[in-house]
Amino acid sequence: MEKIYYDLDAVKRELKPIMSGGSYENIYQLLYNVTLLKYSTQGHLKSIGFSGAEKVVTKKKLQALSELGYVRLANKNLGIYSTTTKTLQLLKAVGHNLNLLPAVPKGIGFEIYNTDVFVQALKLPNYYTLLYPQFPQENPYIIPDALLVLKEDHRYQLNFLEVEAEKPNW
């Protein structure tokens, strides 16, 4: 992964006012989860149960992160958050491979019904990662909702996920 210059000290100064009770690593994990899930609510983020979640997944902190430009309130009525370019830059600076994360979503959260399934996948005992491939990469025409990678010993299982929203009269 290429090295980029990113002033983490400036980020820490910017985040310091919201750090009561949590750590910078907790905030970075929260931002990673927001990015990984594409669209998420406070409830989704709390249910993942990562270390320090109870300290950083609060309405007040999510609102502050939104005001600072780290998350975007994609749908105010439903409390749906998504990531921003600013967060992707930060995640890259702290060592995450952006090629494995979805692009910044542009919508208002209509895909939120997928998030319930993605959160369930994150809790699987042999969960390894969640990817968002497109085939082919140039002018894609096969775009699964996600690719769930499970790992057991030295074997990997790839599961393409296609989440169907409830439709009337099905």
Side-chain angles (χ1 to χ4, degrees):
M1 177 167 35
E2 76 180 71
K3 285 273 188 191
I4 61 165
Y5 174 75
Y6 195 81
D7 191 351
L8 288 176
D9 289 331
V11 169
K12 288 179 179 180
R13 283 191 302 275
E14 187 176 48
L15 295 175
K16 188 173 178 95
I18 65 169
M19 291 310 301
S20 63
S23 69
Y24 293 107
E25 287 72 27
N26 297 150
I27 293 288
Y28 301 158
Q29 185 63 49
L30 168 62
L31 294 172
Y32 174 82
N33 288 337
V34 169
T35 303
L36 183 66
L37 295 173
K38 288 189 183 180
Y39 295 103
S40 54
T41 64
Q42 180 187 6
H44 289 123
L45 297 166
K46 274 189 174 182
S47 73
I48 295 170
F50 62 92
S51 175
E54 68 284 349
K55 296 175 183 174
V56 295
V57 184
T58 66
K59 280 190 186 228
K60 185 177 177 183
K61 288 189 180 178
L62 287 167
Q63 178 63 37
L65 289 168
S66 178
E67 290 168 3
L68 293 170
Y70 289 99
V71 298
R72 178 177 72 93
L73 191 54
N75 187 314
K76 187 176 182 178
N77 292 334
L78 299 175
I80 298 172
Y81 295 92
S82 64
T83 196
T84 64
T85 303
K86 186 175 184 177
T87 287
L88 290 180
Q89 292 169 343
L90 172 60
L91 292 175
K92 185 171 186 174
V94 297
H96 289 283
N97 183 347
L98 298 187
N99 294 327
L100 302 179
L101 292 171
V104 174
K106 306 280 190 242
I108 60 171
F110 289 129
E111 295 177 39
I112 193 68
Y113 57 85
N114 291 4
T115 305
D116 290 331
V117 174
F118 298 161
V119 168
Q120 289 174 21
L122 293 175
K123 294 178 180 181
L124 292 171
N126 51 348
Y127 166 82
Y128 187 68
T129 194
L130 197 61
L131 305 171
Y132 298 90
Q134 297 181 4
F135 303 104
Q137 287 184 335
E138 295 280 330
N139 302 316
Y141 54 89
I142 299 175
I143 307 171
D145 288 332
L147 171 62
L148 171 63
V149 181
L150 303 174
K151 182 180 178 182
E152 197 168 312
D153 297 323
H154 298 295
R155 297 177 307 182
Y156 297 88
Q157 180 181 353
L158 308 178
N159 300 283
F160 288 96
L161 303 179
E162 193 62 38
V163 182
E164 294 296 328
E166 283 189 34
K167 296 180 178 78
N169 301 321
W170 263 41

